[in-house]
């Protein structure tokens, strides 16, 4: 089992819809979770951090964490074509000395 | 805040030569810096982790004598690709964290082409 798993996609959603991106992780004691966005040919950009169970909202983005199920998700409301990118889930595993483990990413395509 | 720069943004070199890539944190002190490599349509691959003033910790399978990392100060880390070969052509990206935090802020990346 991979340490951080994501569906590679592509996930296609129409403009204006809600995009739901999911991630599971293997280490039960992980405490820090992140979502990064990476446009093609560019480096990743941090968009959300979440540390506690529940929801965290920032603009059109909502991160959801369920530690019991070892599951973290990212919802993008009112999806725009500019949201088309690969979304990377990252988890700080225990004993990682600030290192995080990245999933392989989910490619999101927002169709105009 | 949390801006990381990389230089150069792209470089072309001949096989057998060495290339140095700089990574700087512009508005914070980067206690830890990371170097990644990414091949086209593939995921990020962590190469090494470096702390200021310490030797870098390399991931399994990464040749430390080929990829020299120096974290000389709290704002600068360098990656030198020695005796580069065409298979080293890739997108090299650095990231940095501040204090004991886990949030990594990425530089814009350096695209290396070895001919």
């Amino acid at each position: 089992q991979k340490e951080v798993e994501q569906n590679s996609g592509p996930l296609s959603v129409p403009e204006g819809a809600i995009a739901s991106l999911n991630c599971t992780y293997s280490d039960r004691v992980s405490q820090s979770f992140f979502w990064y966005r990476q446009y093609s040919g560019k480096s990743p950009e941090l968009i959300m951090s979440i540390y506690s169970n529940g929801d965290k909202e920032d603009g059109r983005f909502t991160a959801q964490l369920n530690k019991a199920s070892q599951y973290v998700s990212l919802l993008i409301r009112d999806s725009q074509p500019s949201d088309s990118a690969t979304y990377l889930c990252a988890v700080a595993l225990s004993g990682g000395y600030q290192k995080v483990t990245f999933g392989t990413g989910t490619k999101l395509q927002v169709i105009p | 805040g949390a801006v990381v720069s990389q230089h150069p943004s792209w470089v072309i070199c001949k096989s057998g030569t060495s290339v140095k890539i700089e990574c700087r944190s512009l508005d914070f002190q980067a206690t830890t810096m990371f170097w990644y490599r990414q091949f086209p349509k593939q995921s990020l691959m962590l190469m090494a982790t470096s702390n200021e003033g310490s030797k870098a910790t390399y991931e399994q399978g990464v040749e430390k004598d080929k990829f020299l990392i120096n974290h000389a100060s709290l704002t600068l880390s360098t990656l030198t690709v020695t005796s580069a070969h065409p298979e080293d052509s890739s997108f090299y990206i650095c990231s940095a964290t501040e204090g004991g935090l886990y949030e990594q802020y990425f530089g814009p990346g350096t695209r290396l082409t070895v001919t």
Side-chain angles (χ1 to χ4, degrees):
Chain A
Q1 182 190 5
K2 290 183 182 176
E3 293 175 310
V4 180
E5 291 207 58
Q6 294 182 257
N7 188 316
S8 60
L11 171 67
S12 294
V13 300
E15 183 175 355
I18 295 175
S20 177
L21 304 160
N22 304 314
C23 173
T24 58
Y25 59 95
S26 61
D27 188 348
R28 285 193 166 275
V29 300
S30 296
Q31 297 294 322
S32 306
F33 306 86
F34 310 92
W35 283 99
Y36 287 83
R37 176 176 62 198
Q38 185 175 24
Y39 290 112
S40 181
K42 302 294 185 182
S43 65
E45 173 192 10
L46 178 66
I47 53 174
M48 291 285 282
S49 308
I50 186 165
Y51 304 95
S52 304
N53 277 329
D55 295 359
K56 179 182 178 182
E57 187 175 316
D58 184 0
R60 294 187 297 114
F61 298 99
T62 298
Q64 299 176 317
L65 175 60
N66 184 326
K67 291 185 180 180
S69 300
Q70 295 173 238
Y71 178 94
V72 58
S73 64
L74 179 71
L75 301 178
I76 306 175
R77 289 182 300 282
D78 188 24
S79 295
Q80 300 297 310
S82 58
D83 295 324
S84 298
T86 296
Y87 289 81
L88 304 171
C89 171
V91 178
L93 304 178
S94 56
Y97 300 100
Q98 294 183 273
K99 188 170 71 173
V100 299
T101 298
F102 285 85
T104 53
T106 298
K107 185 171 183 177
L108 173 67
Q109 295 177 337
V110 180
I111 312 300
Chain B
V3 178
V4 177
S5 69
Q6 263 184 261
H7 179 80
S9 56
W10 60 270
V11 58
I12 301 173
C13 72
K14 294 193 175 186
S15 187
T17 61
S18 295
V19 173
K20 180 185 282 189
I21 302 169
E22 288 188 352
C23 177
R24 293 183 184 271
S25 57
L26 298 185
D27 53 1
F28 66 100
Q29 294 190 322
T31 49
T32 305
M33 285 184 164
F34 304 85
W35 287 95
Y36 294 85
R37 181 168 53 179
Q38 189 173 38
F39 294 106
K41 299 190 186 301
Q42 294 189 22
S43 58
L44 289 173
M45 188 194 84
L46 179 64
M47 299 174 68
T49 302
S50 73
N51 292 292
E52 185 261 340
S54 304
K55 287 186 179 179
T57 301
Y58 291 82
E59 295 298 302
Q60 194 172 4
V62 177
E63 299 173 60
K64 61 181 180 181
D65 294 331
K66 179 171 184 61
F67 298 99
L68 302 179
I69 293 171
N70 183 18
H71 194 156
S73 74
L74 284 173
T75 58
L76 173 64
S77 176
T78 60
L79 167 67
T80 301
V81 183
T82 62
S83 188
H85 291 283
E87 56 266 29
D88 298 323
S89 298
S90 188
F91 190 39
Y92 291 86
I93 315 171
C94 72
S95 70
T97 60
E98 181 178 20
L101 303 177
Y102 282 91
E103 283 87 348
Q104 290 188 26
Y105 296 95
F106 285 84
T110 296
R111 201 163 299 281
L112 170 64
T113 302
V114 185
T115 61

